[in-house]
Amino acid sequence: MGDRPSVSVAIVGSGGAGTLTAGSLLLEAAAEAGWQGLLTRTVGPQIRGGEAAALVRLATHTVECQPDQFDLLIGIDWLNAHRFGAEIEVGPQSFVISDPRGGDLPPNVAAAGARIVEMPFKNMAKAIPEGRANMIALGLACRLLGLGVDVVSTLIEKRLADKGQAAIGASLAGIKAGYDAASNLDFGLRLAAPKSKSTRRWLISGNEAAALGAVRGGVRFAAAYPITPATEILEWLAPNLSKMGGVLLQAEDELAAINMIIGASFGGTPALTATSGPGLALMIEALGLATAAEIPVVVIDVMRGGPSTGIPTKSEQADLNIAIYGFHGDAPHLVLAPQSVGDCLFTTQWATYLAEAQQTPSIVLSDQFIGQTRAAIARPADVAFIGQRLKVTNIADAYNRYALVANSISPMAIPGTRGGQYTADGLTHTEQGTPTSSASDHQIQLSKRCDKIENFNYGDHWATIEGAGDFAVITWGSLTGAVREAISRAAQDGVEASLLAPRLLSPTQPKRFAAALAGKKRILIVEQSHSAQFHRYLRAHYDLPDNVQVLNRPGPLPIRAGEIHRAIMEWRS
Amino acid sequence: MSQAAGAPKISSLADLFAIAYQIEADAVERYDLLADQMETHNNPELVAVFRDLSRAEGIHRDEIRRLAGDIDVVAHARRMAKWNRGESPEEVNLAAAHYMMTPWHALQLSLAGEKRALEFFTSVVETAKDPKIKKMAEEFMEEEAEHVNLVHRLLRRYPQPSDSWSQDHDPPVSQE
Amino acid sequence: MSIVDMRVAGKPGDYKSNIKPIWCPGCGDYHVLMSFTRAFAELGLPPEQIVVVSGIGCSSRIPAYTNCYGFHGVHGRSLAVAAGLKLSRPDLTVVVASGDGDGYSIGGNHFLHACRRNIDMTYVVMDNRVYGMTKGQPSPTTEPDFDTALSPGGTGLRPFHPLVIALASGANFIARCFSGEPNETASVLVEAIKHPGFSFVEILSPCVTFRPDEVEWKSRVHPAPVAPTNDPGKAARRIMTDDGFNIGILYRGDRKPYQPAIGQPSVDPAELEKEFEL
């Protein structure tokens, strides 16, 4: 059997089995050896000991979503694994390795027609002093996929360096046991050789990439309140901002966090917070203040299942409404959405640059899927977007903070600048910044803030536009990867479809959107929201052709490339 | 509470001049502030009253400066003419202001201020050891006594208002 | 600019803007504004080096009446704004102005944490024991039997004792003043601003419109009978047993202010991606 350009492995286990560690090591070993790939995790509701699954997809090329079905499913045990349901699908072409003493197969796995091979993980682990079943599973997976045991062994030595030689020895023994046990199995799951290792590659999560992008964009102050699934952004920023001479402060709540970053930004320091839906809801009032007082801030919302507390550990794309329309009054501001793990770096850096240039808030809509996915990717290109707000230094005459100027971006006096004293205010104000209730001042300032962001030149980054033909698939955020894969499969089936994924959601880009849709006769909209928020947004702001279909579903299950592909094929015919 | 309790110490003629100057300068600022308040709160009659009082105090202030001759009262006052307890005698009671106050009320405040100033200089006269200081303090004391009489005369123009002077048929307005 | 130049005592007038306050004539806040400008003049700081941060309420209007930089934010969040500002700009002098509603009700949580964090700033709360701006509702310091439209007959609730809360939460300087004594208040503000860490100054400031009964405060206030202490236990006993009208500096602590080092990077920015490199 020929080697495969892409192979996917799901490892399931519970009760401290170390499933996620095994998956993480598998990805890292493959990445070190030159492959690309991604790892997502799914877990039960417990804090420790819960059921967990590591979902790994490895390839010789860029992959940005999980497969429709997993090629290999390794069940260290099946306790409560039925909860994962359709998140882990297998089919007749799949292989399932199962411990006969690990409980019953989940119903969807048992009924899938996959080939099932038994492996007594528990007993094998017992045979090794301090042996762990997850290391056996890891060794097994490495052998089946064609990864050398040396790469993973080096990783183990590094990872467990502080746990002592006994732990390292036990792990290496487990890996060897799994590796050896696979010698009789030939599933045809060997990965094709990786491309040249001369391409610089990173192993990084979306959250880490976003945090790095913020720092590159100039952020030097962060204040935040921990919330799943955004906390890793803060964990990366805490030491790294400090290395850059900045600081992260943990706030007492999100109300404090957003106001803290507004304070820091007022003082001249580009500032950021990261949160999820419930936190963003708390921040809305202050974001209106930042908009009205023209103070730049960046808020990353790593979207999760909503509404309310929702499903904190799962992804969804249902914060579009609150991000764009959630402020009271008319408060136009920037909303952007990264499209992949690597794009989290670019989009957050760009969002920081835009916020500073336009003296307004940027909301970056990431989500749990790309935020917490760890991926081996080509190193993203450096970009020159660095936050640089327009400041005023030499003030000869009376200073008007909100002066009307040609491009509506008034120079800002940073505290400490003599002669620039003004009071930033959420009250409607005159050009000087003095509170007013006059009709003309209100109209003037509203128009100024609207023109400011609508007339800005966003260049080509506002959207990803690929392909040609009269059929377009429109999506946004983390679904871009799955749509791209679906379009590529459709192309193999002789059906041409183009991709349009806006990165800049607010302000809207009517002319450019119309140009992108010119000649399109059919549209398929794909989004992960129960009420189809993106579809409604498109209809509200853009002209769409008559033939529009929507493929939408709320979380927690990702929308698969296969489903999108089927929808393209059905809609096409 | 005795005015003298928080008053700055007078150790020289320059000190006395500086304090006398400051008392009037403070009065000018206080009446200006009240005039501004009345202007913002649409009480033009009181704007005129307070501006007049401010102007009068300004004349007294400038006269003291002239009398002081070579002494740089402004600089000297800035260095030492500070009341540590309460306010200086002619800083009329801000807490007693009211947006619907009448000239009678303003003059009552002014009268109290002049009386306090008179009391202050009287105590300086009584306690001063240096004859030059004592003599000058007497002049200031007499001047203040004249001011008291002047305010009494002005008050005769304005009857005490009836009890309903502060009644506003409109309720307060919430601005935020 | 040399330190000597910066330290020349200014005139209070240098710190006033030409914007006329909307406060009712008779409002204690006029005196508080005077105390601010006198204190700033005494400290001799250039106006552009001072930021007055406020929330919402009558007292929160004060920033625009000064000639310093000002921030008039949303209700209850001024301490958070100030924390972000001061941590990222430790060179500035940050004064936070609030009222009993803005500071103790909606801002209550931030008050606790601001005291705990002990960032170097001065928090001035103009307490008039009522919500003035919104026409007279009770605040957390209103007496339990004070009749209002939203609480007929009075709330029946025991008022907060903000000085006790400040002490318990870690404030490094605690004082109470009375607006009717602007010079004394100015002196206390000078001390508060100079004292490192979180300084809390509550200024009793009568509301002439909704609490005309507070005119009697000027007879009820009295200097604190003992000198300030740096012993939290002693301070707790005193503050918990005071009559609410003790004026003066009541506690002066020794906690080190919270200010992480900021400024120059300690690594080359290109180092940050090394942990991701394969």
Side-chain angles (χ1 to χ4, degrees), chain A residues 201-203 208 216 236 240 243 245 250 252-253 259-260 267 379 414-418 420-425, chain C residues 48 64 67 69-72 77 80-81 84-85 89 109-110 113 117 260 262-263 265-266 272-273 275-276 278:
Chain A
R201 291 170 313 118
W202 283 358
L203 185 62
E208 287 165 340
R216 287 196 180 171
W236 191 87
N240 287 290
K243 287 181 196 161
Q250 181 180 318
E252 55 271 28
D253 56 34
N259 280 281
M260 285 169 176
R379 180 188 182 282
I414 305 301
T417 306
R418 173 165 300 181
Q421 292 96 293
Y422 74 101
T423 292
D425 214 319
Chain C
E48 65 269 14
N67 188 33
Y69 278 91
F71 190 96
H72 185 211
R77 315 294 170 203
V81 174
L85 176 63
R89 287 290 307 278
N109 189 31
H110 305 305
H113 292 276
R117 266 188 211 109
I262 60 143
S266 61
L272 296 185
E273 64 179 87
E275 65 174 287
F276 304 121
L278 287 164

Side-chain angles (χ1 to χ4, degrees), chain C:
Chain C
M1 162 151 284
S2 73
I3 301 292
V4 170
D5 287 343
M6 284 175 71
R7 287 286 146 187
V8 166
K11 299 196 308 294
D14 296 339
Y15 300 91
K16 270 202 329 213
S17 76
N18 52 15
I19 304 204
K20 307 283 177 260
I22 48 100
W23 297 322
C24 305
C27 175
D29 294 351
Y30 282 103
H31 268 139
V32 176
L33 176 60
M34 240 174 254
S35 302
F36 270 42
T37 56
R38 286 176 191 181
F40 296 156
E42 174 74 25
L43 289 161
L45 296 164
E48 65 269 14
Q49 285 295 125
I50 303 172
V51 186
V52 182
V53 181
S54 70
I56 298 288
C58 289
S59 26
S60 285
R61 291 299 187 106
I62 201 168
Y65 307 147
T66 74
N67 188 33
C68 310
Y69 278 91
F71 190 96
H72 185 211
V74 292
H75 200 27
R77 315 294 170 203
S78 53
L79 287 170
V81 174
L85 176 63
K86 180 70 183 186
L87 284 187
S88 57
R89 287 290 307 278
D91 58 301
L92 298 170
T93 295
V94 178
V95 177
V96 187
S98 185
D100 41 309
D102 182 84
Y104 305 144
S105 191
I106 185 169
N109 189 31
H110 305 305
F111 180 37
L112 298 177
H113 292 276
C115 295
R116 178 178 71 102
R117 266 188 211 109
N118 199 32
I119 295 172
D120 184 28
M121 62 175 71
T122 300
Y123 186 41
V124 178
V125 177
M126 286 160 254
D127 190 351
N128 59 8
R129 302 188 183 173
V130 75
Y131 278 48
M133 181 63 84
T134 47
K135 301 192 294 171
Q137 297 79 24
S139 86
T141 50
T142 304
E143 302 82 343
D145 55 358
F146 184 74
D147 184 49
T148 71
L150 289 197
S151 61
T155 62
L157 298 177
R158 198 187 88 149
F160 268 174
H161 203 328
L163 278 65
V164 176
I165 294 170
L167 182 69
S169 307
N172 211 30
F173 177 104
I174 299 174
R176 184 193 281 118
C177 297
F178 174 54
S179 63
E181 296 172 355
N183 290 323
E184 287 88 324
T185 301
S187 301
V188 170
L189 287 175
V190 167
E191 293 303 308
I193 292 171
K194 278 159 101 172
H195 196 81
F198 188 78
S199 299
F200 171 55
V201 180
E202 171 164 275
I203 305 182
L204 299 172
S205 178
C207 173
V208 67
T209 296
F210 294 104
R211 295 295 307 259
D213 57 300
E214 289 171 352
V215 68
E216 56 149 20
W217 278 2
K218 64 175 182 289
S219 342
R220 293 189 67 183
V221 296
H222 55 90
V226 288
T229 176
N230 68 348
D231 178 334
K234 268 208 192 106
R237 278 191 294 281
R238 284 182 199 168
I239 295 175
M240 283 219 72
T241 54
D242 94 341
D243 61 357
F245 292 98
N246 261 335
I247 300 300
I249 300 169
L250 303 173
Y251 173 74
R252 242 197 250 266
D254 307 314
R255 287 183 67 198
K256 192 161 159 310
Y258 177 71
Q259 178 62 56
I262 60 143
Q264 289 315 306
S266 61
V267 305
D268 190 295
E271 294 291 305
L272 296 185
E273 64 179 87
K274 292 243 149 67
E275 65 174 287
F276 304 121
E277 282 174 0
L278 287 164

Side-chain angles (χ1 to χ4, degrees), chain A residues 488-524:
Chain A
S488 143
R489 285 194 217 174
Q492 282 160 23
D493 291 340
V495 173
E496 185 184 31
S498 64
L499 164 67
L500 169 54
R503 179 180 284 106
L504 181 71
L505 294 159
S506 181
T508 55
Q509 306 291 298
K511 285 208 192 83
R512 306 173 82 170
F513 202 89
L517 284 193
K520 307 292 179 204
K521 298 208 181 64
R522 290 175 201 254
I523 304 283
L524 171 66

Side-chain angles (χ1 to χ4, degrees), chain A residues 371-433:
Chain A
Q372 293 191 322
T373 290
R374 180 163 293 282
I377 56 172
R379 180 188 182 282
D382 288 337
V383 285
F385 290 118
I386 297 182
Q388 194 66 239
R389 70 177 78 162
L390 184 64
K391 295 181 201 171
V392 63
T393 40
N394 274 323
I395 302 173
D397 306 313
Y399 169 64
N400 290 339
R401 167 68 185 97
Y402 303 106
L404 293 181
V405 293
N407 67 352
S408 306
I409 300 174
S410 323
M412 189 191 255
I414 305 301
T417 306
R418 173 165 300 181
Q421 292 96 293
Y422 74 101
T423 292
D425 214 319
L427 285 168
T428 293
H429 41 259
T430 62
E431 288 185 63
Q432 290 87 353

Side-chain angles (χ1 to χ4, degrees), chain B residues 113-129:
Chain B
E114 299 299 342
K115 282 182 176 167
R116 283 194 299 268
L118 172 59
E119 197 187 304
F120 171 74
F121 286 115
T122 306
S123 82
V124 175
V125 168
E126 282 165 5
T127 55
K129 304 247 178 3

Side-chain angles (χ1 to χ4, degrees), chain A residues 225-504:
Chain A
Y225 193 71
I227 185 170
T228 302
T231 308
E232 293 91 42
I233 295 176
L234 316 176
E235 288 170 352
W236 191 87
L237 282 174
N240 287 290
L241 262 184
S242 176
K243 287 181 196 161
M244 298 309 298
V247 66
L248 177 137
L249 181 65
Q250 181 180 318
E252 55 271 28
D253 56 34
E254 286 90 345
L255 302 170
I258 185 67
N259 280 281
M260 285 169 176
I261 68 171
I262 291 172
S265 183
F266 169 75
T269 309
L272 169 143
T273 188
T275 186
S276 190
L280 180 61
L282 288 174
M283 296 181 184
I284 292 296
E285 182 196 28
L287 284 168
L289 169 66
T291 306
E294 303 199 48
I295 299 173
V297 287
V298 180
V299 177
I300 304 177
D301 172 11
V302 186
M303 296 184 289
R304 69 193 215 181
S308 190
T309 313
I311 311 177
T313 53
K314 291 283 183 252
S315 205
E316 200 164 75
Q317 293 184 315
D319 289 351
L320 188 66
N321 284 352
I322 191 176
I324 298 179
Y325 308 116
F327 301 9
H328 70 270
D330 281 314
H333 54 281
L334 302 163
V335 180
L336 298 93
Q339 299 173 351
S340 68
V341 168
D343 195 43
C344 285
L345 192 156
F346 172 80
T347 301
T348 309
Q349 184 172 350
W350 193 42
T352 305
Y353 163 80
L354 292 174
E356 288 287 315
Q358 298 180 49
Q359 299 174 19
T360 197
S362 279
I363 300 178
V364 177
L365 292 176
S366 174
D367 64 27
Q368 183 274 329
F369 177 73
I370 43 179
Q372 293 191 322
T373 290
R374 180 163 293 282
I377 56 172
R379 180 188 182 282
D382 288 337
V383 285
F385 290 118
I386 297 182
Q388 194 66 239
R389 70 177 78 162
L390 184 64
K391 295 181 201 171
V392 63
T393 40
N394 274 323
I395 302 173
D397 306 313
Y399 169 64
N400 290 339
R401 167 68 185 97
Y402 303 106
L404 293 181
V405 293
N407 67 352
S408 306
I409 300 174
S410 323
M412 189 191 255
I414 305 301
T417 306
R418 173 165 300 181
Q421 292 96 293
Y422 74 101
T423 292
D425 214 319
L427 285 168
T428 293
H429 41 259
T430 62
E431 288 185 63
Q432 290 87 353
T434 309
T436 174
S437 60
S438 100
S440 71
D441 284 322
H442 191 46
Q443 174 75 46
I444 284 168
Q445 293 292 324
L446 284 168
S447 298
K448 170 190 194 290
R449 294 193 296 261
C450 183
D451 293 343
K452 181 173 72 162
I453 65 170
E454 284 190 0
N455 298 338
F456 194 85
N457 180 8
Y458 295 98
D460 291 332
H461 306 294
W462 76 281
T464 295
I465 305 174
E466 294 168 359
D470 64 5
F471 182 88
V473 184
I474 311 180
T475 190
W476 69 288
S478 64
L479 278 174
T480 306
V483 168
R484 189 181 279 119
E485 198 166 304
I487 287 175
S488 143
R489 285 194 217 174
Q492 282 160 23
D493 291 340
V495 173
E496 185 184 31
S498 64
L499 164 67
L500 169 54
R503 179 180 284 106
L504 181 71

Side-chain angles (χ1 to χ4, degrees), chain A residues 27 34 41 45 59 121 126 129 187 191 255 318 338 480 496 507 509 522:
Chain A
L27 173 68
R41 308 166 325 159
F121 291 110
K126 278 211 186 95
F187 292 171
L191 276 162
L255 302 170
T480 306
E496 185 184 31
Q509 306 291 298
R522 290 175 201 254

